[in-house]
Amino acid sequence: MASTSPAPSLTSMVVPWAAARPDAVALRTPPGESRVEVTWSRLLREVGAARDRNRSAGLAPGERMVLIAPTTPEFLVEFLGADAAGLVVVAANPLSTVRELAYLLEDSGARQVVAHPAVSAAGEQAAAEAGVAFRTIPLLAPEPAEPAQDSPGRPSPDPAAIEIVGREPDDLSALLYTSGTTGRPKGAMLTLGNLTAAAETVKGLIDATDADNWATGLPLFHVFGLAAVALPALSAGRPVTLFPRWDPQQFVHALAADAITVISGVPTMWMSVLASAPEGTAPALRAVSSGGAAIAGEVVRRFEDRFAAPVVEGYGLTETTALGTFNPLDGERKVGSVGRPVGDLEVRVIDHDGQPVPAGEVGEVCIRGPVVMKGYWNRPEATAEVLSEDGWFRTGDLGRMDADGYLFIVDRLKDLILHGGYNVYPREVEEVLYEIPGVREAAVVGTPDEKYGQQVTAVLTRTADAAGAALSAETVERFTRENLAAYKIPRIIEFVDELPKGPSGKILKRELLAHVPAQAAP
């Protein structure tokens, strides 16, 4: 049923800001000659146009639409335009192949593919082969600084009359497909309630103010960039600078140019800034949120020393709308911890029998609360494996919780290395590796070994300075021998130019295994 604002929807969060501050900036592309700044009034107008395009395509509320776009204002215009029409967005990686998109179309039953012109070829072909509608996203050009009040074709929207399809909190808003570490990717069903709860929780976590300016280079098709950055920023009525391609030098420039106060990203982004960005200042920066993967304590210390702002690590998954735990901005931040449960969430650690373990003991991390997904799309059995009847989601991550309620992620259950009967947690070894001068990035994996079952294997990249040039396998072996128990020492040490990374910047350890020789270094 269509209604006038404020209908329960994600678009509703934009409406009050379009009324209160129509000419203020809502979305920005990076600084430069081609920069586009979208005001709140224009954002609402463009969202309405996208909504109308979906209606003209004959899509009914509840139907699915595949959205392919980089981290640009156009992504959010189309995402909210689908929301205003009552559609479910299937967000796809812009690097997806025709085959991968064909799978998403078949699995989700989507009736339309919408793609940014820069990444439209595979989507157009997949749509044609599947026999579904396809359209490209109109690009947003810069507007004149002082547009004419009676400019034809660009009327100012009336926020009080914007027509939005209202929904219930349990209605599906997005299908975000997991990486598919085992089997084919599964669509995590995120509801309106999940996404709005995440936005409200994030605003509380960072103590969002009316003076904040946000920024991120995270992909918006990924839950971290969408649910923990873009939607909270829009809900708070604050501008967000979006980086479609991660460039550490451009990023450091934007910190000062846009007076950025809140940034979010993954550890590899912060490492790239430390390794290759020029000296720059961030006078307004007050909060750096890191997630997606474990961040080494040494990287935190170096980043904080440079920018004089706290790096707070959090923990969440696609299935929990990016949230779970978070270290407090004010209060004790424990190095190596991903913080305490946030908002109304509950977190516990269980053993193999599903029973809670005492503080300090390692077990599987489970989460319950308003951000936990509805389930996996059309996969009741897979849903039942991870989601209990009383709402507890089994993450597949190993962790321990201390007496103060701080969670420490030990590793992915599937990444655990079994070496001669001993459990080796890759993250513990990686923390030591990052302390070695000359190490830029590090990943530890287990490779097959006839004698020990698995061998501890380190794959490293070097820094571009004298320390990196001097770094050798012998140096690494000696340093780890001095700082780790014998069974944790890497016996295979490989150097590569770059570590393989996923779309969010997370290091892909599975890809490393195909290139690392299964033999111990002498």
Side-chain angles (χ1 to χ4, degrees), residues 10 19 27 78 87 90 99 113 143 166 190 216 219 233 251 259 274 280 324 356 358 384 407 417-418 432 450 514:
L10 297 173
L27 303 172
E78 293 295 334
L87 305 182
V90 181
R99 178 175 179 173
V113 176
E143 281 194 320
L190 300 185
T216 191
F251 169 75
L274 294 172
L407 180 66
I417 299 171
L418 300 177
V432 172
E450 290 185 2

Side-chain angles (χ1 to χ4, degrees), residues 219-481:
L220 295 180
F221 70 84
H222 190 276
V223 71
F224 190 3
L226 177 66
V229 183
L231 294 182
L234 291 175
S235 178
R238 301 309 304 160
V240 56
T241 302
L242 302 170
F243 294 84
R245 182 179 63 85
W246 182 249
D247 182 330
Q249 297 185 10
Q250 187 182 58
F251 169 75
V252 171
H253 173 60
L255 287 178
D258 293 342
I260 300 301
T261 60
V262 180
I263 56 175
S264 299
V266 295
T268 52
M269 291 179 176
W270 315 138
M271 288 186 279
S272 72
V273 169
L274 294 172
S276 60
E279 290 301 318
T281 61
L285 190 61
R286 68 175 186 85
V288 182
S289 162
S290 185
I295 184 170
E298 182 63 22
V299 174
V300 171
R301 286 187 287 271
R302 290 172 58 201
F303 201 94
E304 290 183 341
D305 286 345
R306 176 169 175 183
F307 293 104
V311 177
V312 286
E313 189 173 5
Y315 167 72
L317 303 93
T318 300
E319 292 90 340
T320 63
T321 324
L323 300 185
T325 61
F326 197 73
N327 268 292
L329 278 175
D330 296 318
E332 184 177 10
R333 289 185 291 125
K334 297 190 178 184
V335 176
S337 167
V338 293
R340 304 177 67 179
V342 301
D344 296 328
L345 271 64
E346 300 173 79
V347 177
R348 68 181 184 184
V349 180
I350 64 171
D351 60 20
H352 292 296
D353 297 323
Q355 298 301 311
V357 301
E361 289 192 13
V362 173
E364 184 177 3
V365 179
C366 299
I367 300 174
R368 180 168 69 176
V371 298
V372 173
M373 68 171 183
K374 194 172 185 175
Y376 292 120
W377 176 259
N378 286 339
R379 284 174 170 76
E381 293 183 359
T383 299
E385 289 177 1
V386 298
L387 196 57
S388 68
E389 292 184 1
D390 57 350
W392 284 102
F393 173 70
R394 301 185 63 150
T395 66
D397 287 327
L398 291 170
R400 59 182 174 82
M401 187 171 284
D402 69 12
D404 298 322
Y406 284 76
L407 180 66
F408 293 77
I409 297 298
V410 175
D411 242 305
R412 286 291 294 172
L413 189 57
K414 62 182 178 59
D415 288 340
L416 177 68
I417 299 171
L418 300 177
H419 176 81
Y422 291 98
N423 290 347
V424 179
Y425 301 112
R427 179 175 181 178
E428 181 183 5
V429 181
E430 289 163 358
E431 286 277 353
V432 172
L433 293 172
Y434 274 111
E435 295 178 12
I436 304 174
V439 170
R440 178 163 64 93
E441 295 178 328
V444 172
V445 295
T447 52
D449 184 271
E450 290 185 2
K451 181 177 180 180
Y452 294 102
Q454 285 184 302
Q455 197 63 259
V456 181
T457 300
V459 186
L460 310 169
T461 65
R462 296 179 170 95
T463 57
D465 55 14
L471 186 63
S472 66
E474 291 74 17
T475 303
V476 173
E477 196 274 341
R478 182 170 59 253
F479 190 92
T480 54
R481 185 172 296 279

Side-chain angles (χ1 to χ4, degrees), residues 5 10-26 39-44 157 159-160 200 203 208-211 230-239:
S5 176
L10 297 173
T11 308
S12 300
M13 66 180 62
V14 175
V15 173
W17 304 116
R21 48 184 68 153
D23 298 325
V25 173
T39 64
W40 289 100
S41 177
R42 185 184 183 190
L43 177 57
L44 191 58
E200 291 302 311
K203 288 190 296 182
T209 74
D210 205 40
L231 294 182
L234 291 175
S235 178
R238 301 309 304 160

Side-chain angles (χ1 to χ4, degrees), residues 67-71 75 91-97 100-101 116 118-123 219-222 244 503:
L67 174 57
I68 311 170
T71 299
F75 180 103
N93 187 338
L95 299 179
S96 297
T97 64
E100 291 166 334
L101 292 172
H116 190 285
V119 290
S120 61
L220 295 180
F221 70 84
H222 190 276

